[in-house]
Short mmCIF file of all heavy atoms in Angstrom, two decimals:
data_model
loop_
_atom_site.label_atom_id
_atom_site.label_comp_id
_atom_site.label_asym_id
_atom_site.label_seq_id
_atom_site.Cartn_x
_atom_site.Cartn_y
_atom_site.Cartn_z
N TYR A 180 0.82 -1.21 0.00
CA TYR A 180 0.00 0.00 0.00
C TYR A 180 0.85 1.26 0.00
O TYR A 180 2.04 1.24 0.32
CB TYR A 180 -0.92 0.00 1.22
CG TYR A 180 -1.90 -1.15 1.23
CD1 TYR A 180 -1.61 -2.34 1.90
CD2 TYR A 180 -3.11 -1.06 0.54
CE1 TYR A 180 -2.49 -3.41 1.89
CE2 TYR A 180 -4.00 -2.13 0.53
CZ TYR A 180 -3.68 -3.30 1.20
OH TYR A 180 -4.56 -4.35 1.18
N ASP A 181 0.22 2.38 -0.36
CA ASP A 181 0.87 3.67 -0.22
C ASP A 181 1.11 3.94 1.26
O ASP A 181 0.66 3.18 2.13
CB ASP A 181 0.00 4.78 -0.84
CG ASP A 181 -0.03 4.68 -2.36
OD1 ASP A 181 0.93 4.11 -2.92
OD2 ASP A 181 -1.01 5.16 -2.96
N ASP A 182 1.78 5.05 1.55
CA ASP A 182 2.17 5.32 2.93
C ASP A 182 0.97 5.33 3.87
O ASP A 182 -0.02 6.03 3.63
CB ASP A 182 2.93 6.65 3.02
CG ASP A 182 3.73 6.73 4.29
OD1 ASP A 182 3.12 6.88 5.37
OD2 ASP A 182 4.96 6.63 4.23
N LEU A 183 1.06 4.55 4.93
CA LEU A 183 -0.06 4.39 5.86
C LEU A 183 -0.23 5.58 6.80
O LEU A 183 -1.26 5.69 7.47
CB LEU A 183 0.15 3.13 6.71
CG LEU A 183 0.37 1.81 5.96
CD1 LEU A 183 0.61 0.67 6.95
CD2 LEU A 183 -0.83 1.50 5.07
N PHE A 184 0.77 6.47 6.87
CA PHE A 184 0.75 7.53 7.89
C PHE A 184 0.51 8.92 7.30
O PHE A 184 0.49 9.90 8.04
CB PHE A 184 2.07 7.51 8.68
CG PHE A 184 2.32 6.19 9.34
CD1 PHE A 184 3.18 5.26 8.77
CD2 PHE A 184 1.69 5.85 10.53
CE1 PHE A 184 3.40 4.02 9.37
CE2 PHE A 184 1.91 4.63 11.13
CZ PHE A 184 2.77 3.71 10.55
N THR A 185 0.35 8.99 5.99
CA THR A 185 0.10 10.29 5.37
C THR A 185 -1.19 10.89 5.93
O THR A 185 -2.23 10.22 5.96
CB THR A 185 -0.02 10.14 3.84
OG1 THR A 185 1.20 9.60 3.33
CG2 THR A 185 -0.30 11.47 3.18
N GLY A 186 -1.11 12.14 6.35
CA GLY A 186 -2.28 12.83 6.90
C GLY A 186 -2.48 12.66 8.39
O GLY A 186 -3.38 13.27 8.97
N SER A 187 -1.63 11.86 9.03
CA SER A 187 -1.76 11.68 10.48
C SER A 187 -1.25 12.92 11.21
O SER A 187 -0.09 13.30 11.06
CB SER A 187 -0.96 10.45 10.94
OG SER A 187 -0.80 10.45 12.34
N THR A 188 -2.12 13.56 11.99
CA THR A 188 -1.69 14.76 12.72
C THR A 188 -0.66 14.42 13.79
O THR A 188 0.24 15.22 14.08
CB THR A 188 -2.91 15.44 13.37
OG1 THR A 188 -3.61 14.49 14.20
CG2 THR A 188 -3.87 15.96 12.30
N VAL A 189 -0.78 13.23 14.38
CA VAL A 189 0.20 12.82 15.40
C VAL A 189 1.58 12.68 14.77
O VAL A 189 2.58 13.19 15.29
CB VAL A 189 -0.23 11.48 16.04
CG1 VAL A 189 0.87 10.94 16.94
CG2 VAL A 189 -1.52 11.66 16.83
N VAL A 190 1.65 12.00 13.63
CA VAL A 190 2.93 11.79 12.96
C VAL A 190 3.49 13.11 12.45
O VAL A 190 4.69 13.40 12.62
CB VAL A 190 2.77 10.78 11.79
CG1 VAL A 190 4.02 10.74 10.92
CG2 VAL A 190 2.45 9.40 12.35
N GLU A 191 2.66 13.94 11.84
CA GLU A 191 3.14 15.22 11.33
C GLU A 191 3.72 16.09 12.44
O GLU A 191 4.76 16.74 12.26
CB GLU A 191 2.00 15.96 10.62
CG GLU A 191 1.62 15.32 9.28
CD GLU A 191 0.41 16.00 8.65
OE1 GLU A 191 -0.15 16.94 9.28
OE2 GLU A 191 0.02 15.59 7.54
N ALA A 192 3.08 16.10 13.60
CA ALA A 192 3.57 16.91 14.72
C ALA A 192 4.91 16.38 15.24
O ALA A 192 5.82 17.17 15.55
CB ALA A 192 2.53 16.93 15.84
N LYS A 193 5.02 15.06 15.34
CA LYS A 193 6.27 14.48 15.85
C LYS A 193 7.41 14.71 14.87
O LYS A 193 8.53 15.04 15.26
CB LYS A 193 6.08 12.98 16.11
CG LYS A 193 7.29 12.31 16.77
CD LYS A 193 7.57 12.91 18.14
CE LYS A 193 8.75 12.26 18.82
NZ LYS A 193 9.06 12.87 20.14
N VAL A 194 7.14 14.57 13.56
CA VAL A 194 8.17 14.82 12.56
C VAL A 194 8.63 16.27 12.62
O VAL A 194 9.83 16.56 12.58
CB VAL A 194 7.66 14.45 11.15
CG1 VAL A 194 8.65 14.93 10.08
CG2 VAL A 194 7.43 12.96 11.03
N ALA A 195 7.69 17.19 12.72
CA ALA A 195 8.04 18.61 12.79
C ALA A 195 8.90 18.90 14.01
O ALA A 195 9.86 19.68 13.94
CB ALA A 195 6.76 19.46 12.83
N GLU A 196 8.58 18.27 15.13
CA GLU A 196 9.37 18.46 16.36
C GLU A 196 10.81 17.97 16.16
O GLU A 196 11.77 18.65 16.55
CB GLU A 196 8.71 17.69 17.50
CG GLU A 196 9.48 17.70 18.81
CD GLU A 196 8.92 16.70 19.81
OE1 GLU A 196 7.69 16.49 19.82
OE2 GLU A 196 9.72 16.09 20.56
N LEU A 197 10.97 16.80 15.54
CA LEU A 197 12.30 16.24 15.32
C LEU A 197 13.09 17.08 14.31
O LEU A 197 14.29 17.31 14.49
CB LEU A 197 12.19 14.80 14.82
CG LEU A 197 11.66 13.78 15.83
CD1 LEU A 197 11.41 12.44 15.15
CD2 LEU A 197 12.62 13.61 17.00
N VAL A 198 12.43 17.54 13.26
CA VAL A 198 13.10 18.37 12.25
C VAL A 198 13.60 19.67 12.89
O VAL A 198 14.75 20.09 12.67
CB VAL A 198 12.16 18.66 11.07
CG1 VAL A 198 12.72 19.78 10.19
CG2 VAL A 198 11.94 17.41 10.24
N ALA A 199 12.76 20.30 13.68
CA ALA A 199 13.15 21.57 14.32
C ALA A 199 14.33 21.36 15.26
O ALA A 199 15.29 22.15 15.27
CB ALA A 199 11.96 22.17 15.06
N GLY A 200 14.28 20.31 16.06
CA GLY A 200 15.37 20.04 16.99
C GLY A 200 16.66 19.73 16.27
O GLY A 200 17.75 20.19 16.66
N ALA A 201 16.57 18.94 15.19
CA ALA A 201 17.77 18.58 14.43
C ALA A 201 18.38 19.80 13.74
O ALA A 201 19.60 19.97 13.72
CB ALA A 201 17.43 17.50 13.40
N LYS A 202 17.53 20.67 13.18
CA LYS A 202 18.04 21.87 12.52
C LYS A 202 18.79 22.76 13.51
O LYS A 202 19.85 23.32 13.19
CB LYS A 202 16.89 22.66 11.88
CG LYS A 202 16.40 22.08 10.57
CD LYS A 202 15.33 22.97 9.95
CE LYS A 202 14.95 22.49 8.56
NZ LYS A 202 13.90 23.36 7.95
N ALA A 203 18.26 22.89 14.71
CA ALA A 203 18.92 23.73 15.72
C ALA A 203 20.29 23.15 16.08
O ALA A 203 21.28 23.89 16.23
CB ALA A 203 18.04 23.83 16.97
N GLU A 204 20.38 21.82 16.20
CA GLU A 204 21.66 21.19 16.54
C GLU A 204 22.64 21.25 15.37
O GLU A 204 23.84 21.46 15.56
CB GLU A 204 21.43 19.73 16.97
CG GLU A 204 22.67 19.01 17.46
CD GLU A 204 23.25 19.56 18.75
OE1 GLU A 204 22.63 20.45 19.37
OE2 GLU A 204 24.34 19.10 19.14
N ILE A 205 22.14 21.10 14.14
CA ILE A 205 23.00 21.24 12.96
C ILE A 205 23.58 22.65 12.91
O ILE A 205 24.78 22.83 12.65
CB ILE A 205 22.21 20.93 11.67
CG1 ILE A 205 21.85 19.44 11.61
CG2 ILE A 205 23.01 21.33 10.43
CD1 ILE A 205 20.84 19.10 10.53
N ASP A 206 22.75 23.64 13.16
CA ASP A 206 23.22 25.04 13.16
C ASP A 206 24.30 25.24 14.22
O ASP A 206 25.30 25.95 13.99
CB ASP A 206 22.06 26.00 13.40
CG ASP A 206 21.09 26.07 12.22
OD1 ASP A 206 21.48 25.62 11.12
OD2 ASP A 206 19.96 26.56 12.41
N ARG A 207 24.12 24.62 15.39
CA ARG A 207 25.11 24.75 16.46
C ARG A 207 26.46 24.18 16.02
O ARG A 207 27.51 24.77 16.26
CB ARG A 207 24.60 24.04 17.71
CG ARG A 207 25.43 24.26 18.97
CD ARG A 207 24.77 23.64 20.19
NE ARG A 207 23.48 24.24 20.49
CZ ARG A 207 22.30 23.63 20.39
NH1 ARG A 207 22.25 22.36 20.03
NH2 ARG A 207 21.18 24.26 20.67
N ILE A 208 26.42 23.02 15.34
CA ILE A 208 27.65 22.39 14.88
C ILE A 208 28.30 23.21 13.76
O ILE A 208 29.53 23.36 13.71
CB ILE A 208 27.36 20.94 14.42
CG1 ILE A 208 27.00 20.08 15.64
CG2 ILE A 208 28.53 20.34 13.66
CD1 ILE A 208 26.42 18.73 15.30
N GLN A 209 27.48 23.75 12.87
CA GLN A 209 28.03 24.58 11.79
C GLN A 209 28.69 25.84 12.33
O GLN A 209 29.70 26.31 11.79
CB GLN A 209 26.93 24.93 10.78
CG GLN A 209 26.41 23.74 9.98
CD GLN A 209 27.52 22.95 9.30
OE1 GLN A 209 28.29 23.51 8.52
NE2 GLN A 209 27.61 21.66 9.60
N GLU A 210 28.15 26.38 13.41
CA GLU A 210 28.77 27.56 14.03
C GLU A 210 30.15 27.24 14.60
O GLU A 210 31.01 28.12 14.72
CB GLU A 210 27.87 28.10 15.14
CG GLU A 210 26.61 28.80 14.62
CD GLU A 210 25.62 29.12 15.73
OE1 GLU A 210 25.97 28.90 16.91
OE2 GLU A 210 24.51 29.58 15.41
N MET A 211 30.38 25.97 14.94
CA MET A 211 31.70 25.54 15.43
C MET A 211 32.68 25.32 14.29
O MET A 211 33.86 25.07 14.52
CB MET A 211 31.57 24.22 16.21
CG MET A 211 30.72 24.30 17.45
SD MET A 211 30.56 22.65 18.20
CE MET A 211 29.37 23.02 19.51
N GLY A 212 32.17 25.35 13.04
CA GLY A 212 33.02 25.09 11.89
C GLY A 212 32.70 23.79 11.19
O GLY A 212 33.34 23.42 10.21
N GLY A 213 31.72 23.05 11.71
CA GLY A 213 31.31 21.80 11.09
C GLY A 213 31.64 20.59 11.93
O GLY A 213 32.11 20.70 13.07
N ALA A 214 31.42 19.41 11.35
CA ALA A 214 31.54 18.16 12.11
C ALA A 214 32.97 17.90 12.59
O ALA A 214 33.18 17.42 13.71
CB ALA A 214 31.05 17.00 11.25
N VAL A 215 33.97 18.18 11.75
CA VAL A 215 35.35 17.89 12.14
C VAL A 215 35.76 18.70 13.36
O VAL A 215 36.26 18.14 14.35
CB VAL A 215 36.31 18.08 10.95
CG1 VAL A 215 37.76 18.00 11.42
CG2 VAL A 215 36.05 17.02 9.88
N PRO A 216 35.59 20.04 13.38
CA PRO A 216 35.92 20.78 14.60
C PRO A 216 35.09 20.34 15.81
O PRO A 216 35.60 20.36 16.95
CB PRO A 216 35.61 22.23 14.22
CG PRO A 216 35.77 22.28 12.74
CD PRO A 216 35.25 20.95 12.26
N ALA A 217 33.83 19.94 15.57
CA ALA A 217 32.99 19.49 16.69
C ALA A 217 33.48 18.17 17.26
O ALA A 217 33.24 17.86 18.43
CB ALA A 217 31.53 19.37 16.24
N VAL A 218 34.18 17.36 16.43
CA VAL A 218 34.83 16.15 16.93
C VAL A 218 36.10 16.50 17.68
O VAL A 218 36.35 16.05 18.80
CB VAL A 218 35.16 15.19 15.76
CG1 VAL A 218 36.15 14.11 16.21
CG2 VAL A 218 33.89 14.54 15.25
N GLU A 219 36.92 17.32 17.07
CA GLU A 219 38.23 17.65 17.64
C GLU A 219 38.11 18.36 18.99
O GLU A 219 38.94 18.17 19.89
CB GLU A 219 39.03 18.51 16.66
CG GLU A 219 39.43 17.75 15.40
CD GLU A 219 40.06 18.64 14.34
OE1 GLU A 219 39.69 19.83 14.26
OE2 GLU A 219 40.90 18.14 13.57
N SER A 220 37.05 19.16 19.14
CA SER A 220 36.85 19.87 20.41
C SER A 220 36.28 18.98 21.50
O SER A 220 36.29 19.33 22.68
CB SER A 220 35.89 21.05 20.19
OG SER A 220 34.57 20.59 19.92
N GLY A 221 35.75 17.82 21.10
CA GLY A 221 35.12 16.92 22.06
C GLY A 221 33.66 17.21 22.30
O GLY A 221 33.01 16.52 23.10
N TYR A 222 33.09 18.21 21.60
CA TYR A 222 31.70 18.60 21.86
C TYR A 222 30.73 17.45 21.62
O TYR A 222 29.92 17.11 22.49
CB TYR A 222 31.30 19.80 20.98
CG TYR A 222 29.80 20.02 20.96
CD1 TYR A 222 29.15 20.59 22.06
CD2 TYR A 222 29.03 19.62 19.87
CE1 TYR A 222 27.77 20.75 22.07
CE2 TYR A 222 27.65 19.79 19.86
CZ TYR A 222 27.03 20.35 20.97
OH TYR A 222 25.66 20.50 20.96
N MET A 223 30.80 16.83 20.45
CA MET A 223 29.82 15.80 20.11
C MET A 223 29.99 14.57 20.99
O MET A 223 29.01 13.96 21.43
CB MET A 223 29.90 15.44 18.63
CG MET A 223 29.36 16.52 17.71
SD MET A 223 28.88 15.92 16.05
CE MET A 223 30.48 15.70 15.29
N LYS A 224 31.24 14.19 21.27
CA LYS A 224 31.48 13.02 22.11
C LYS A 224 30.94 13.24 23.51
O LYS A 224 30.27 12.37 24.09
CB LYS A 224 32.97 12.70 22.16
CG LYS A 224 33.32 11.48 23.00
CD LYS A 224 32.74 10.20 22.43
CE LYS A 224 33.20 8.98 23.17
NZ LYS A 224 32.61 7.73 22.66
N SER A 225 31.20 14.40 24.09
CA SER A 225 30.71 14.69 25.44
C SER A 225 29.18 14.68 25.49
O SER A 225 28.58 14.19 26.45
CB SER A 225 31.23 16.05 25.92
OG SER A 225 32.62 16.02 26.12
#
């Protein structure tokens, strides 16, 4: 079948929450200079 969850308000809300949280964390890492500096500084590991 086609996607079983299309149109689900519960799923749409949870996806939006995860996308927003991930974007904020990606921006934080990019401000450090990207993934490599975030590794070298120990930020992501900690």
Side-chain angles (χ1 to χ4, degrees):
Y180 298 94
D181 289 336
D182 199 288
L183 305 178
F184 302 99
T185 300
S187 166
T188 55
V189 172
V190 170
E191 288 175 358
K193 186 62 180 178
V194 170
E196 175 192 326
L197 292 172
V198 166
K202 282 184 174 180
E204 185 66 7
I205 292 169
D206 290 344
R207 188 174 297 113
I208 291 168
Q209 292 307 304
E210 287 170 6
M211 297 176 187
V215 171
V218 165
E219 293 172 329
S220 69
Y222 166 75
M223 288 201 285
K224 180 65 174 178
S225 292

